[in-house]
Structure formats: structure tokens, C-alpha cells
Amino acid sequence: MANHKSAIKKARQDEVRRLRNRMYKTRFKNAAKKVEAALEEKNKDAAKTALQEAISVMDKIVTKGVVHKNTAARKKSRLSLKVNALVASA
């Protein structure tokens, strides 16, 4: 356990940040799962709208520094490929 006053404050701040980052990461994952669920149902409209929402969420989380920009770009790219393949298979 931290002994100095500054170390105690830092530990407290780290805990708050950890919980906030966990919330953001959960939103990140849930957005991706929503797109995957729409793809499973082969619902093109739902997949497109879920993808737009997921991209928005991922971009916001990147700006907060919770997830690396390349990680978000990779996830967005893979989801986009799957949605585009579904739409093209009309």
C-alpha cells in the first residue's frame, strides 16, 4: 500500500481511471457485438446502422486514449468488410 500522501492520491486516481477505462472498453466490445449480431441475423439495415454506431463509439474511445488507434482501425476494418460482404450478397 502507498505510504506517501502523493502516492495515496495517485492510487486513488488510478482506480478511478481503471474503472472508467473498463466502462469504455465494455462499450467498445458491445458495439462490435451488436454489429456481429446483426450480421448473424443477416439484417442489412441493422448491420449498417450498428456499424455506424460502432465506428462512432470506437473513434470516441480512441480520442480518450483507452484503445490504440490501430486497434480501433483494425476492428472497424474487419467489421466493415463483413457488413459490405453482406450488403453485396443481395
Side-chain angles (χ1 to χ4, degrees), residues 29-39 46-47 50 53:
K29 291 175 191 174
N30 286 343
K33 286 178 189 174
K34 196 172 181 181
V35 176
E36 292 286 353
L39 288 169
E53 291 173 18

Side-chain angles (χ1 to χ4, degrees), residues 52-90:
Q52 289 303 314
E53 291 173 18
I55 288 172
S56 175
V57 167
M58 290 178 187
D59 287 339
K60 287 176 187 170
I61 291 171
V62 166
T63 61
K64 301 203 184 288
V66 177
V67 176
H68 194 274
K69 65 180 182 176
N70 290 354
T71 301
R74 183 179 67 246
K75 301 270 186 187
K76 288 189 292 188
S77 175
R78 289 177 181 171
L79 289 174
S80 296
L81 284 172
K82 290 178 182 178
V83 170
N84 290 341
L86 175 69
V87 172
S89 67

Side-chain angles (χ1 to χ4, degrees), residues 25-51:
K25 284 183 181 181
T26 302
R27 284 182 61 198
F28 185 90
K29 291 175 191 174
N30 286 343
K33 286 178 189 174
K34 196 172 181 181
V35 176
E36 292 286 353
L39 288 169
E40 289 267 330
E41 296 171 2
K42 299 201 184 313
N43 188 341
K44 295 174 188 173
D45 294 330
K48 283 186 202 176
T49 56
L51 178 64

